[in-house]
Every structure is written in C-alpha cells, then in structure tokens.
Amino acid sequence: MLTLQATLNQNSAALKGDAFIAPLGENLNPAALTLARELRNKGLWIELGEGSFRLKKSFEAAEKTARRIVILGEDELQSGILTVKTFSTGIQSKVPRAELAVFLADSSPE
C-alpha cells in the first residue's frame, strides 16, 4: 500500500504544469491572460491565477498545480522582467519576458 501511495505521489508531481501565472491585482488579469496565451502557444502548460487572490493564496494554488510561479505585478509589467520561483529548489529568478518561454522550457523539472 505504501509503495502504491509513493508511486501516486510521484506521478502527481510529474503531472504539474510548467508554471502558474499570479497577477498582483485584478487590473493585471488581462496582461496575465495575454502572457498565458503566449506561453501556451509555445507549447507550455500554464495555469492562470486570479488577480483578486492574495499573493499567499496564489502561492498555495501554484504549488499544488505547477512547478513554478510567475509573479506579474505593475513593476514586472513595466520593466518586462518577471520573477519566477521554482518550488522544488526555492530559487527565485528574474527573467526577461522575451526569454520566459525558453527559461520555463529549459528549467529542469522537479
């Protein structure tokens, strides 16, 4: 029974998306949706949060459904530099938007 449970846990980890986009405010929902579409068109599995979520709630949802979280706030939107946290390592990276798809595709999974 324990072996079966361990296998199920490993399989569920393998079924997580590439990233979860967390918009920081409802006004950023359209920008988050545009980013999600861009990344999905490049073959990535992207989950999309809701701008009305508090950041803590976004992190909780992201950790259950994806390997990484992409934070999209006003500063990130203006600068074009996004913060990406990889849950398996705890490492946060600053990634230019133009390089985000490659970063998410090339980053080693959990």
Side-chain angles (χ1 to χ4, degrees):
M1 185 69 162
L2 291 177
T3 304
L4 177 60
Q5 185 63 41
T7 302
L8 290 174
N9 288 342
Q10 288 174 350
N11 288 341
S12 66
L15 293 176
K16 288 186 176 184
D18 293 306
F20 179 101
I21 299 174
L24 301 182
E26 290 183 50
N27 60 318
L28 292 170
N29 284 343
L33 180 58
T34 299
L35 179 59
R37 283 184 184 143
E38 289 172 11
L39 296 171
R40 288 171 180 155
N41 286 338
K42 294 182 179 180
L44 295 168
W45 177 1
I46 303 298
E47 298 293 332
L48 184 57
E50 164 62 40
S52 64
F53 290 178
R54 293 186 182 270
L55 188 57
K56 181 179 178 180
K57 185 174 178 180
S58 290
F59 266 89
E60 289 169 356
E63 203 162 8
K64 292 175 185 174
T65 62
R67 292 188 300 266
R68 295 169 210 88
I69 187 169
V70 177
I71 299 169
L72 182 62
E74 290 288 346
D75 292 342
E76 289 81 5
L77 190 60
Q78 294 301 319
S79 70
I81 306 292
L82 301 167
T83 301
V84 179
K85 180 175 181 176
T86 303
F87 291 116
S88 64
T89 63
I91 296 173
Q92 279 193 188
S93 306
K94 297 286 188 176
V95 182
R97 182 176 177 148
E99 299 171 18
L100 185 60
V102 172
F103 178 85
L104 294 175
D106 287 348
S107 295
S108 59
E110 289 184 289

